[in-house]
């Protein structure tokens, strides 16, 4: 049975008694970024609360052996959910009662507060394209820095060309290390969706055109990968993309543990929503924080001591890219 809205409008609960607003919140949450678009989340809906649990069947042990990206992805989804809740008249309170099990968000009624960040949720994307190379204003940089700040998490913004060039060198070294690792390469292949049909069928994974590749049949995509999948090609493309960016943001956390990885994911997502609201584009270039030895050198270069550099994100103005897919919301409910 579904409950009728007091205004006689559409039902406020779905069949089964789940508040309709909770499902809408999940719909916004799943639009968040996730590593390799694995969407490694499950949502448990209760009256007055939503828990976001890790879906360990979607782990990527080669690129993410400690599950840092998996928990950060839960943080990204949690941030979207909190922003959407606030906009639609619910205040969320996030806790990690048992961090390995993800997060719990308790919801209470509040005045609806629609925001530019809420409007940005369906617009945000990782735009893996060349940007226009023009600098950002001081006000834009300040807004991004504030949006990326959290509890034990801060963002370092690099705008000077020598620092951006240094990041480019780190990414080059990261590509060389990753492409030399057969486990990393074969894991990545399992998440590639070469064409719109494959992407729609799976509802997850890395859709070729969203990565800047053409939409091709699987046999042709596999052939391209056999001949063109190399650190040298990736380095040429990444260097062009990095040099076209206005700034590089590095999200760093004070403590290297699950609650901080979740918080870092929230900070990235909030910063990306703020960037989207400002008409800016973002894309991850995480290779130097995924290769453990480079991560330590990166922390040294940034002067952040033993803090963990969680993500590296380039920012600038550029074209919209094709969208990556999501699974239907029903498939992420427990
Ligand atoms: C923790 C984390 C790590 C990621 N690392 C990378 C990366 O190294 N390179 C990249 O191109 N995208 C990276 N992504 C972006 C995802 O591939 C992207 O969010 C996903 O494909 C969904 O696409 P969308 O963000 O455009 O909606 C990462 C995302 C997250 C949350």
């Amino acid at each position: 049975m579904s409950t009728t809205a007091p205004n006689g409008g559409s039902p406020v609960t779905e069949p089964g008694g789940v508040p309709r607003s909770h499902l809408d919140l999940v719909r916004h949450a799943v639009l968040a970024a996730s590593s390799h678009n694995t969407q490694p989340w499950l949502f448990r809906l209760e009256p007055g609360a939503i828990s976001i649990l890790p879906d360990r069947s979607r782990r990527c042990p080669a690129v993410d052996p400690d599950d840092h990206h998996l928990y950060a992805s839960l943080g990204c989804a949690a941030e979207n959910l909190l922003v959407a809740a606030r906009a639609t008249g619910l205040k969320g309170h996030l806790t990690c009662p048992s961090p390995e099990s993800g997060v719990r968000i308790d919801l209470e009624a509040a005045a609806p507060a629609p925001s530019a960040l809420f409007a940005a949720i369906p617009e945000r994307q990782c735009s893996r394209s060349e940007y226009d190379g023009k600098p950002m204003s001081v006000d834009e940089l300040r807004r991004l820095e504030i949006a990326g700040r959290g509890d034990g998490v801060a963002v370092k913004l690099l705008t000077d060309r020598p620092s951006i060039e240094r990041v480019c060198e780190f990414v080059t070294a990261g590509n060389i290390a990753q492409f030399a690792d057969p486990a990393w390469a074969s894991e990545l292949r399992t998440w590639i969706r070469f064409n719109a049909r494959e992407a729609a069928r799976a509802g997850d994974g890395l859709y070729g055109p969203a990565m800047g590749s053409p939409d091709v049949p699987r046999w042709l995509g596999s052939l391209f990968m056999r001949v063109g999948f190399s650190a040298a090609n990736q380095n040429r493309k990444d260097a062009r993309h990095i040099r076209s960016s206005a700034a590089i943001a590095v999200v760093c956390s004070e403590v290297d543990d699950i609650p901080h990885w979740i918080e870092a994911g929230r900070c990235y997502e909030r910063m990306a929503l703020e960037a989207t609201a400002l008409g800016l584009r973002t894309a991850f270039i995480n290779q130097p924080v995924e290769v453990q030895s480079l991560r330590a050198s990166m922390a040294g270069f940034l002067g952040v001591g033993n803090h963990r550099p969680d993500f590296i994100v380039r920012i600038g103005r550029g074209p919209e890219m094709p969208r990556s897919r999501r699974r239907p919301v029903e498939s992420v409910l427990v």
Side-chain angles (χ1 to χ4, degrees):
M1 277 277 289
S2 58
T3 313
T4 306
N7 63 4
S10 55
V12 293
T13 65
E14 299 277 347
V18 173
R20 167 163 287 214
S21 61
H22 282 200
L23 281 179
D24 285 339
L25 295 183
V26 176
R27 285 191 186 100
H28 284 86
V30 300
L31 296 178
S34 66
S35 176
H36 284 1
N37 197 20
T38 52
Q39 305 161 37
W41 41 56
L42 292 167
F43 294 79
R44 188 167 61 218
L45 312 187
E46 298 164 41
I50 298 178
S51 297
I52 311 180
L53 319 170
D55 180 350
R56 290 205 174 75
S57 68
R58 294 177 165 265
R59 290 184 70 234
C60 291
V63 72
D64 187 29
D66 60 0
D67 289 336
H68 167 277
H69 283 3
L70 184 148
Y71 283 101
S73 302
L74 300 192
C76 296
E79 187 59 25
N80 270 14
L81 198 150
L82 287 160
V83 169
R86 202 59 219 259
T88 52
L90 288 167
K91 188 168 179 326
H93 177 63
L94 181 144
T95 51
C96 299
S98 146
E100 290 207 346
S101 310
V103 303
R104 175 184 168 92
I105 298 171
D106 287 287
L107 298 160
E108 57 174 310
S115 62
L117 296 198
F118 175 59
I121 289 176
E123 303 301 322
R124 185 211 59 81
Q125 64 165 193
C126 292
S127 308
R128 299 177 187 90
S129 55
E130 216 166 306
Y131 301 161
D132 70 6
K134 299 203 176 113
M136 282 188 262
S137 70
V138 172
D139 184 54
E140 286 168 334
L141 290 165
R142 189 184 56 86
R143 281 162 172 266
L144 294 175
E145 201 267 329
I146 293 169
R149 207 183 284 161
D151 189 5
V153 177
V155 59
K156 283 231 161 212
L157 283 164
L158 310 173
T159 53
D160 63 291
R161 288 294 133 185
S163 297
I164 292 177
E165 219 34 61
R166 190 77 188 97
V167 170
C168 200
E169 287 167 15
F170 274 109
V171 170
T172 299
N175 281 330
I176 290 168
Q178 290 187 323
F179 277 79
D181 176 359
W184 172 86
S186 73
E187 181 180 86
L188 177 65
R189 268 190 215 103
T190 65
W191 290 100
I192 291 180
R193 313 289 176 242
F194 288 110
N195 52 65
R197 242 185 54 205
E198 279 187 5
R201 196 180 314 127
D204 63 13
L206 299 164
Y207 173 43
M211 312 285 294
S213 305
D215 185 297
V216 290
R218 172 152 283 266
W219 69 266
L220 188 53
S222 304
L223 182 67
F224 280 162
M225 284 200 77
R226 268 201 299 283
V227 293
F229 185 69
S230 71
N233 283 345
Q234 192 64 40
N235 279 333
R236 264 192 292 278
K237 185 165 150 184
D238 286 342
R240 217 175 51 243
H241 285 176
I242 292 167
R243 290 179 182 136
S244 76
S245 305
I248 307 290
V250 189
V251 177
C252 300
S253 40
E254 284 171 12
V255 183
D256 193 10
D257 63 8
I258 294 175
H260 284 82
W261 302 344
I262 293 170
E263 181 71 10
R266 288 188 62 189
C267 291
Y268 154 74
E269 187 73 16
R270 203 162 50 240
M271 182 180 69
L273 292 177
E274 181 73 48
T276 306
L278 290 167
L280 295 161
R281 305 241 170 240
T282 61
F284 287 95
I285 35 165
N286 279 334
Q287 297 89 324
V289 296
E290 290 170 347
V291 176
Q292 201 182 338
S293 55
L294 290 175
R295 192 160 70 233
S297 314
M298 188 78 198
F301 158 64
L302 294 167
V304 296
N306 60 357
H307 293 191
R308 176 170 179 152
D310 293 280
F311 317 113
I312 312 175
V313 182
R314 64 187 185 92
I315 310 173
R317 286 194 165 73
E320 183 179 2
M321 293 293 281
R323 298 264 157 191
S324 62
R325 302 289 301 217
R326 294 298 185 275
R327 290 173 294 151
V329 76
E330 297 71 35
S331 61
V332 297
L333 300 178
V334 288

